[in-house]
Amino acid sequence: MARGEGAEQYSATLLSVKPLNTEIKPAKPKNQRNRLSVCSKVCYAFGGAPYQITGSALGFFLQIYLLDVAQLDPFYASIILFVGRAWDAVTDPTVGFLVSRSRWTGIGRMMPWILLSTPFAVLTYFLIWYVPPFEEGKVVWYLIFYCLFQSMQTCFHVPYSALTMFISTDQKERDSATAYRMMVEVLGTVLGTAIQGQIVGGVSNCPDETEHVNSTNSSRVNVTRASLDETKKAYLVASGVICIIYVLCAVILFLGVKERKESGRKKSEPLTFRQSLWVIMTHGPYVKLVIGFLFTSLAFMLLEGNFALFITYALGHRKHFQNILLVIMLSGTLTIPWWHWFLTRFGKKKAVYFGISWAVPFMILIVCIKSNLVISYLVSVAAGVSVAAAFLLPWSMLPDVVDDFKVKNPDIHGHEALFYSFYVFFIKFASGVSLGVSTLSLKFAGYMTGDCVQPEAVSLTLKVLVSPVPVFLIAVGLLILKTYPIDEERRQGNRKLLQQMLDSEADSESESSELGSSM
């Protein structure tokens, strides 16, 4: 009897379980679960605009603003530029470390950093472009607010960069979202250059170089007090417009993107800052990628930081410099889709070699020929093609390095932000060194603050800073990137291994949930 009762109970149990199995709906294919809508990609891309809009305005105009509007000595201007960038570089790994240890909230792990930093970033950015009514503490003013803005911007941009790894687990979707992001970011640089350049460029009272052919040092035309006040107001108006756009982009990012929590993975024990640094810096592909792009990015940063001064004083196109800068950015924007097609068709390493080296002949041409406005515009169009490649490729290749790290270290999770923050650290530190050294070089060349015409030595120094030095840095960077080991075969292999790992985790999670529901 006991056995019969047990058999009957066992049969009843099977009958009760069977309907549960038949009611389970087939799961969506994994590629559909990870697919992002176009709306999500566009909203995600908008989050990259604030960094580029403010970055292009600061990169192209802060040096000339400090020298000719705030009228600081080139030595003090070089200190502000170097310390601000160096401070910005230090905050990147610090914020990346703090973000990696942040807890998951109702809106994600990255979003709280982005939202809370936005109002402070906007306020400090606006105050950078305000000329205080005192002379004694002017250097301290700019140093404090420049550093504060860089800190707040870091609290926005590092979590946003790491957000790439949390919007989808599919590599193709991340690459596609990155392409959208690069398009919007280059549009952001266009917007930043256009807003700052067009608003500020229309108030200069200095005549063109052609009107000074027979001028001497004693007959230099200085900026009048009235035109200087108008220029100060123009910089404030431009910064106000940029601040409004900054806030709008942050709101679009928050409302349109859902941060996906990693499910099924066991979190590794939190690493100390020293351990995190060691883990990342011992990953060979990451080190080679960072060092290679360190040199190439330094080349384009030198070009960016000195190009406005170069156009104004070396080429003599004072009334056209904002338009030439705008042409470069527009050219870059229009070629971003082509570069995305190129890297998917021929691979990312080939895109690096071809895209970044494309600028070299035009860097040489612009300093070898006699000043000519038409040729300057043509060179700007060609240079914008390389600018697009310089924007797209580093951010497209960093996720590949992170995936390679995950394959080799499957037990370490939650440190994606560190890869991005340390990369930005090295790039920004190098940028600070380049801006500081270039501005100091102008002081040694005899740069005259506030003057419309500069000595010949200044023109020669600017030519060196925008051509021979960047060309050398590009050559070194490309040689290093040649040793970068992640080719298309390895990248696809990593993708398959990661997908297998994710599928296995998803299956184990679904099995555990089914067991829990049947209990």
Side-chain angles (χ1 to χ4, degrees), residues 200-400:
V200 172
V203 297
S204 176
N205 203 35
C206 284
D208 250 355
E209 183 71 17
T210 54
E211 301 175 36
H212 285 279
V213 174
N214 298 318
S215 67
T216 62
N217 289 343
S218 60
S219 63
R220 287 194 184 99
V221 179
N222 292 325
V223 179
T224 63
R225 174 56 56 187
S227 65
L228 183 60
D229 289 340
E230 290 176 1
T231 304
K232 291 177 182 178
K233 291 178 182 177
Y235 272 102
L236 282 178
V237 171
S239 65
V241 174
I242 289 175
C243 287
I244 293 172
I245 296 172
Y246 193 117
V247 173
L248 288 176
C249 290
V251 172
I252 291 172
L253 174 66
F254 173 68
L255 296 178
V257 177
K258 182 179 180 181
E259 185 178 344
R260 300 187 181 186
K261 187 176 183 180
E262 286 186 310
S263 59
R265 289 192 171 188
K266 295 180 180 179
K267 293 295 180 181
S268 58
E269 289 295 323
L271 301 179
T272 65
F273 187 82
R274 183 182 297 180
Q275 290 172 331
S276 301
L277 179 61
W278 174 256
V279 164
I280 290 173
M281 299 312 296
T282 53
H283 188 57
Y286 179 75
V287 173
K288 292 175 181 177
L289 185 74
V290 168
I291 295 177
F293 279 121
L294 175 65
F295 282 94
T296 58
S297 299
L298 186 54
F300 285 99
M301 287 174 185
L302 269 175
L303 188 65
E304 177 190 58
N306 295 282
F307 204 61
L309 289 170
F310 172 73
I311 295 170
T312 302
Y313 295 115
L315 298 183
H317 305 319
R318 179 182 297 275
K319 295 181 179 179
H320 297 273
F321 83 92
Q322 70 272 17
N323 297 324
I324 293 175
L325 296 177
L326 188 57
V327 167
I328 294 175
M329 295 297 102
L330 282 172
S331 174
T333 303
L334 295 175
T335 52
I336 279 283
W338 186 83
W339 281 120
H340 181 62
W341 170 84
F342 188 96
L343 67 87
T344 54
R345 176 68 176 82
F346 299 102
K348 297 181 181 181
K349 288 188 72 172
K350 289 182 180 178
V352 168
Y353 301 144
F354 184 73
I356 294 178
S357 61
W358 172 264
V360 171
F362 302 101
M363 288 181 180
I364 297 172
L365 178 65
I366 195 70
V367 299
C368 290
I369 61 173
K370 188 177 180 180
S371 177
N372 183 290
L373 185 60
V374 175
I375 294 178
S376 297
Y377 274 107
L378 291 176
V379 169
S380 300
V381 172
V385 178
S386 273
V387 170
F391 268 105
L392 175 63
L393 294 170
W395 296 109
S396 178
M397 295 171 76
L398 272 172
D400 299 338

Side-chain angles (χ1 to χ4, degrees), residues 444-456:
F444 294 139
Y447 186 92
M448 306 295 293
T449 299
D451 282 9
C452 293
V453 179
Q454 297 295 337
E456 185 63 31

Side-chain angles (χ1 to χ4, degrees), residues 3 29 45 58 95 130-131 135 139 143 195 212 220 240 251 271 328 330 341 378 437-438 440 452 475 517:
R3 287 184 180 181
L58 290 168
V95 171
Y130 174 72
V131 180
E135 292 293 329
V139 175
L143 194 59
I195 292 170
H212 285 279
R220 287 194 184 99
V251 172
L271 301 179
I328 294 175
L330 282 172
W341 170 84
L378 291 176
V437 169
S438 60
L440 203 57
C452 293
S517 61

